[in-house]
Amino acid sequence: MASKNSRKQKIAARSSKKKRSASPAANRPNGPKIANMIDQALGHHRQQNLSEAERLYRAILARDPANADALHLLGLTYAQRALHTEAIELYNQALAHSPNFAGAYNNRGISLNTVGEFSLAIDSFRKSLELSPGVPDTYNNLGNALSKLGKREEAIAHYKKAIQLNPKHTDAYFNLGNTHNKLFNYSEAIENYNHALTLNPEHINAYNGLALMLRSICDWSDYEKFETEMIKLAQSSTSKLPPFYLLPWSDSPENQRTCASRYTRSIIPDNLPQLNPKPALNDGRIRIGYISTDFRDHVVSHIIAELFELHDRSKFEIFGFALGEKDTSPIRRRLQAAFDRFIEVGHLADSQIANLIAEQGIHILVDLTGYSMGARTRILAMRPAPIQVSYLGYIGTMGADFIDYILTDEVSAPRELQLFFTEKLVHLPCYMVNDRQRNVAKETPTRTEVGLPEEGFVFCSFNNSYKITPDIFAIWMRCLQATPGSVLWLLGDNIRLQENLRQQASAAGIEPERLIFAPRVETGQH
């Protein structure tokens, strides 16, 4: 989760009301009147009355086109509507007239970070700190941008600086926890999530992070407490719990639908414009659009790439709408070649993306993200295509009337579960595609080379460890008990995970050494 100020850029002029007389605008004709107009606009802005605030900022700029405060704040109204490209242009204009405007550099950095221009965002945050070095939010934002570029150790240093300047900076603790999580520093992640929750016990993202971290090291001492609390949150009539957070804790289809429906209502405004296009079959081919945050070095792309290549081009025209981060991986280049048109849309606002999809004449839009990481559900809520389908990235209901079908199979979602899906279940023989072109290492290691005994049956699960539950582990222990000489081969990211599971095995009467732990390896070796 980004910090509050990276999601909602700061509403502030360069100077306080007391000091505004010293600003360049105040020394020009109409300066005092413009200062009063700025105050009025800020009042509307802070009340989230963006249309009236924008009207006043534009009125100011009609009188004083070089007013940096009005340019900056007008840019902020665009950023708050996710129109970040327009916001960046206005921030640039503000900085052209006021090159020492630290707040504009910070907010420009936030918008640049949002559209995936991480290096430029870092430069903007650094300039802001050069001009105003004591602002903890800016250090936190810089940490977020560095983390996006994989510079996690450097990001950690900036989160710590934010905390040094403001020991109650909840989101810096949370972001620090997330970064340690990505580095598999689970103890440090747990410590920082706990700090965030001490400061704000209602921080649902930190609570979820803590719960998953404890599961990631298979510390099940408070398992039932977390399970009860997450289900309770999902069932609350005021719940805004993201459904993805519930998945590890409850396989109740009723809980999933309730959580998804409430969350969808909480994030989709009633007055969201509806496009409802009726595209023509111009050349007789059906236009299928795939939209995803994971058109990159990600498991979704690794398993689905060949599907795009195999579409019958005499009947279908295939579009890829790429949300999320860009990368230069081989799989990204393969995806770009696999589509008839591959369109980068991550830098655009939800409404712009929805309009672009409609303008392309898409007949069937397939969402590969659902409620997994990076979801931008409002795009689909605007109905940019007449038929909208959920597939692969999230095999659960979205609790939304704007998703018509979900592609699944009889194992993942049997027909009797239709009651708990707002989408129509479409059953394939197997919903999971598998790319036959994936790289496989030429050399296969021996049992000894990967730490396995030369003899005996090997039970194996390389799932992330947070997916292991006490009940499932107990079943595995019974399997080992019933199969003399067998071992259990697991992913072992962390020494605490290994220690905890070996203790659990011992308590179940299984020799701890029958658990073998594997490191993460390159995809071809895996």
Side-chain angles (χ1 to χ4, degrees), residues 279-395:
L281 283 170
N282 294 325
D283 61 359
R285 294 191 296 170
I286 294 173
R287 291 188 166 194
I288 303 177
Y290 290 89
I291 185 166
S292 178
T293 60
D294 298 322
F295 288 146
R296 54 190 172 90
D297 190 6
H298 185 275
V299 62
V300 167
S301 290
H302 284 296
I303 63 177
I304 201 174
E306 191 179 8
L307 173 70
F308 305 136
E309 296 165 345
L310 291 175
H311 278 293
D312 183 347
R313 290 318 203 261
S314 68
K315 297 179 180 178
F316 303 101
E317 188 175 5
I318 310 303
F319 291 69
F321 298 97
L323 300 165
E325 302 169 22
K326 302 176 185 178
D327 70 21
T328 57
S329 63
I331 192 67
R332 175 75 164 207
R333 294 194 294 274
R334 182 178 168 193
L335 291 171
Q336 289 173 320
F339 289 99
D340 295 300
R341 289 200 61 192
F342 188 83
I343 306 173
E344 299 279 3
V345 295
H347 63 290
L348 301 175
D350 292 347
S351 59
Q352 292 174 310
I353 297 170
N355 278 300
L356 177 61
I357 292 168
E359 288 165 4
Q360 297 302 313
I362 301 300
H363 299 94
I364 303 171
L365 182 63
V366 183
D367 175 36
L368 299 174
T369 302
Y371 280 133
S372 60
M373 192 68 67
R376 292 179 63 177
T377 312
R378 288 191 184 191
I379 297 167
L380 293 126
M382 285 182 257
R383 272 283 178 186
I387 298 174
Q388 301 191 156
V389 180
S390 178
Y391 179 51
L392 194 62
Y394 186 82
I395 304 301

Side-chain angles (χ1 to χ4, degrees), residues 152-197:
R152 296 192 176 107
E153 296 292 350
E154 196 175 348
I156 285 171
H158 287 90
Y159 294 138
K160 287 182 175 179
K161 181 65 174 179
I163 291 166
Q164 178 188 339
L165 291 167
N166 176 11
K168 294 185 177 181
H169 203 302
T170 307
D171 284 321
Y173 279 115
F174 171 69
N175 290 326
L176 194 51
N178 279 349
T179 307
H180 279 299
N181 175 9
K182 290 170 184 173
L183 291 169
F184 306 111
N185 299 332
Y186 293 151
S187 296
E188 293 86 348
I190 289 166
E191 179 184 349
N192 283 286
Y193 288 140
N194 273 320
H195 271 301
L197 287 166

Side-chain angles (χ1 to χ4, degrees), residues 126 248 476 478:
R126 291 195 192 283
W476 292 350
R478 294 200 295 272

Side-chain angles (χ1 to χ4, degrees), residues 225-257:
K225 182 193 81 172
F226 283 112
E227 181 181 45
T228 300
E229 186 61 29
M230 294 301 283
I231 293 172
K232 180 181 173 183
L233 283 168
Q235 293 174 337
S236 166
S237 60
T238 58
S239 173
K240 295 183 180 180
L241 182 74
F244 197 67
Y245 287 7
L246 181 64
L247 283 176
W249 298 101
S250 174
D251 59 4
S252 160
E254 185 174 4
N255 284 345
Q256 290 293 335
R257 174 164 178 164

